[in-house]
Amino acid sequence: MVSLVTKLGNFVGHRKLGTLVASDSGVWLARDPDTVREPDVAFTSAEKIPLDAEIDGYAEVVPDLVVEIVSPSDSRRWARDRAQMWLDYGAPLVWIVHPDTRTIDVYRPGAATSTLHEDDSLDVHEVITGFTCQVSAIFV
């Protein structure tokens, strides 16, 4: 998944579109009871969190794109539930990456889930205008 982070990071960084983080960066989703989740990869636009913002602790803004990478011990149900959780908290786009099948499940609010295969193209035009990438390129 380093390839995906690199491709997204370069695209976002050069255009100053927002912040891309990979792990070690929790998001405060709710308080009382406190709910913090840590996506594997997240993009938050500069409109939501300015590039010069100092964030002390967890971000309190739901990312525009959440990427969760399924590990061998994760079930399909866990992946669906995780995606739904992010959508319920307001994420407009969630990718669930399945390295074992080299596929990506794409979740959007109010839309049917779609599954992308290696010969498909990732497109996040509604979140990161202009970014596109062949699915096979992220599994190198």
Side-chain angles (χ1 to χ4, degrees):
M1 293 310 96
V2 172
S3 180
L4 175 62
V5 173
T6 300
K7 288 177 185 313
L8 275 171
N10 286 340
F11 190 89
V12 166
H14 292 319
R15 291 163 183 77
K16 297 182 173 40
L17 299 175
T19 304
L20 185 78
V21 295
S23 293
D24 300 330
S25 183
V27 178
W28 206 301
L29 298 173
R31 294 188 185 265
D32 199 23
D34 292 348
T35 304
V36 176
R37 296 292 181 265
E38 184 178 297
D40 291 318
V41 180
F43 165 75
T44 306
S45 70
E47 293 172 359
K48 285 186 174 180
I49 299 178
L51 294 174
D52 59 353
E54 294 284 331
I55 298 175
D56 191 27
Y58 300 121
E60 295 192 42
V61 175
V62 175
D64 297 288
L65 168 65
V66 172
V67 180
E68 295 284 7
I69 302 165
V70 177
S71 67
S73 62
D74 296 331
S75 68
R76 280 251 180 219
R77 181 181 177 132
W78 173 90
R80 281 192 309 273
D81 290 350
R82 189 75 170 186
Q84 190 59 55
M85 178 214 53
W86 284 111
L87 294 177
D88 290 346
Y89 280 107
L93 183 60
V94 179
W95 292 344
I96 302 293
V97 178
H98 300 274
D100 60 336
T101 59
R102 299 170 71 88
T103 59
I104 299 173
D105 294 334
V106 179
Y107 292 81
R108 292 179 172 90
T113 303
S114 60
T115 300
L116 302 177
H117 301 271
E118 287 189 280
D119 56 340
D120 294 322
S121 204
L122 279 170
D123 179 351
V124 290
H125 65 275
E126 72 270 34
V127 175
I128 306 172
T129 303
F131 179 81
T132 187
C133 171
Q134 199 71 18
V135 171
S136 61
I138 71 161
F139 292 109
V140 294

